[in-house]
């Protein structure tokens, strides 16, 4: 019973490098989303998806890309990493409607 | 646009006492859902309780209850009989209604969080 799986758990990048944070869920959830958590700012929505092939921007989308080719996977791409993207990233999924979101364990990203 | 405000950066409570964590929200949606999550020092996000905007009764889940006052747009979390393991960050969040494209159900808006410390 895996739930929401994020990889990697920790990552250090150099400024300008690109990488993909992986997120997979095995609960057949339609909704998936990416958040970043910074001290004192709560969780801020980066991008979200309401189904395969449908994505939309959240509050802080700049510097990030997403795609949703399958129900299970929702990768987050950092195009050219910047120190401002140092954060903890959470992926979440949920079924339709006003239901709770299930979160992955988080990825701690440091950009130097 | 949706907004969640948690005005208490930190709260302290004695073990076995009750504590209320404040949450106010702003939305123009008629239909929405309100959530509370707990984040212990280990970092995972744990769902605690949910309240729908049309629910007439306040939600309860064990020692957690949600004091929902729709007219005041508040959704305070009440933890009864606090335990040392309740020490954590607590987030209030909202899932709102539909935008023109029908996608806004997919996102949660979070408050800044309240750090709760339970003293023995």
């Amino acid at each position: 019973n895996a739930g929401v799986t994020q990889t990697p758990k920790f990552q250090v990048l150099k400024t300008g490098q690109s990488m993909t944070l992986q997120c997979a869920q095995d609960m057949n959830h339609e909704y998936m989303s990416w958040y970043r958590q910074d001290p004192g700012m709560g969780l801020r929505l980066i991008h979200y998806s309401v189904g395969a092939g449908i994505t939309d921007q959240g509050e802080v989308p700049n510097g990030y890309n997403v795609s949703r080719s399958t129900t299970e996977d929702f990768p987050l791409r950092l195009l050219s990493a910047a120190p401002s993207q140092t954060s903890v990233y959470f992926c979440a999924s949920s079924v339709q409607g006003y239901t709770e979101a299930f979160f992955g364990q988080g990825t701690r990203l440091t950009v130097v | 646009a949706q907004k969640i405000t948690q005005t208490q950066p930190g709260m302290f409570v004695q073990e076995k006492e009750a504590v209320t964590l404040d949450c106010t929200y702003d939305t123009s949606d008629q239909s929405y859902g309100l959530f509370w999550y707990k984040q212990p020092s280990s970092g995972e996000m744990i769902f605690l309780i949910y309240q729908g905007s049309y629910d007439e009764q306040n939600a309860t889940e064990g020692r957690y209850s949600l004091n929902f006052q729709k007219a005041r747009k508040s959704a305070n979390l009440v933890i009864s009989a606090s335990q040392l393991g309740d020490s954590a960050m607590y987030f209030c969040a909202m899932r709102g209604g539909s935008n023109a494209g029908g996608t806004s159900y997919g996102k949660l808006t979070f408050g800044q969080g309240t750090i709760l410390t339970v003293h023995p």
Side-chain angles (χ1 to χ4, degrees):
Chain A
N1 192 8
V4 180
T5 303
Q6 285 184 238
T7 54
K9 288 188 170 51
F10 301 93
Q11 183 71 48
V12 179
L13 286 179
K14 293 182 178 179
T15 298
Q17 286 184 317
S18 63
M19 80 160 293
T20 299
L21 306 185
Q22 301 292 343
C23 177
Q25 52 92 7
D26 61 359
M27 298 173 283
N28 203 31
H29 286 172
E30 295 91 349
Y31 296 167
M32 296 187 75
S33 50
W34 277 101
Y35 298 85
R36 59 176 290 173
Q37 182 177 17
D38 303 295
M41 302 189 74
L43 277 75
R44 292 182 294 167
L45 181 65
I46 304 171
H47 286 286
Y48 65 104
S49 170
V50 298
I54 306 170
T55 63
D56 205 348
Q57 295 182 349
E59 183 184 353
V60 287
N62 292 341
Y64 307 96
N65 270 357
V66 292
S67 60
R68 182 96 179 271
S69 56
T70 66
T71 299
E72 294 78 19
D73 299 301
F74 191 45
L76 178 71
R77 297 180 188 85
L78 280 71
L79 309 173
S80 177
S84 60
Q85 293 179 304
T86 293
S87 188
V88 178
Y89 291 84
F90 285 98
C91 177
S93 74
S94 61
V95 298
Q96 284 189 8
Y98 299 121
T99 59
E100 75 271 23
F102 295 81
F103 283 80
Q105 292 297 306
T107 296
R108 186 174 294 275
L109 175 68
T110 302
V111 182
V112 297
Chain B
Q2 303 166 27
K3 186 175 181 181
I4 297 282
T5 302
Q6 294 179 253
T7 57
Q8 305 156 315
M11 288 286 286
F12 296 89
V13 66
Q14 207 72 26
E15 194 178 8
K16 300 180 185 177
E17 299 287 316
V19 63
T20 298
L21 305 184
D22 293 341
C23 172
T24 58
Y25 60 92
D26 190 20
T27 182
S28 56
D29 295 331
Q30 295 300 308
S31 179
Y32 48 89
L34 294 156
F35 305 82
W36 278 91
Y37 284 85
K38 172 183 178 182
Q39 186 179 43
S41 58
S42 52
E44 71 266 34
M45 295 290 288
I46 302 168
F47 165 72
L48 296 178
I49 195 167
Y50 162 79
Q51 177 85 41
S53 58
Y54 289 113
D55 294 340
E56 294 187 353
Q57 291 194 333
N58 288 342
T60 60
E61 289 287 347
R63 294 186 298 110
Y64 304 108
S65 61
L66 200 153
N67 184 0
F68 180 48
Q69 298 188 40
K70 192 171 183 177
R72 297 180 59 187
K73 293 189 174 180
S74 73
N76 299 339
L77 177 70
V78 181
I79 304 174
S80 62
S82 297
Q83 302 172 356
L84 296 178
D86 293 334
S87 293
M89 175 77 86
Y90 288 82
F91 290 103
C92 180
M94 177 168 63
R95 190 190 297 280
S98 176
N99 58 4
T103 62
S104 66
Y105 288 114
K107 58 183 181 180
L108 280 172
T109 300
F110 284 83
Q112 305 93 317
T114 297
I115 299 175
L116 176 66
T117 303
V118 181
H119 290 301

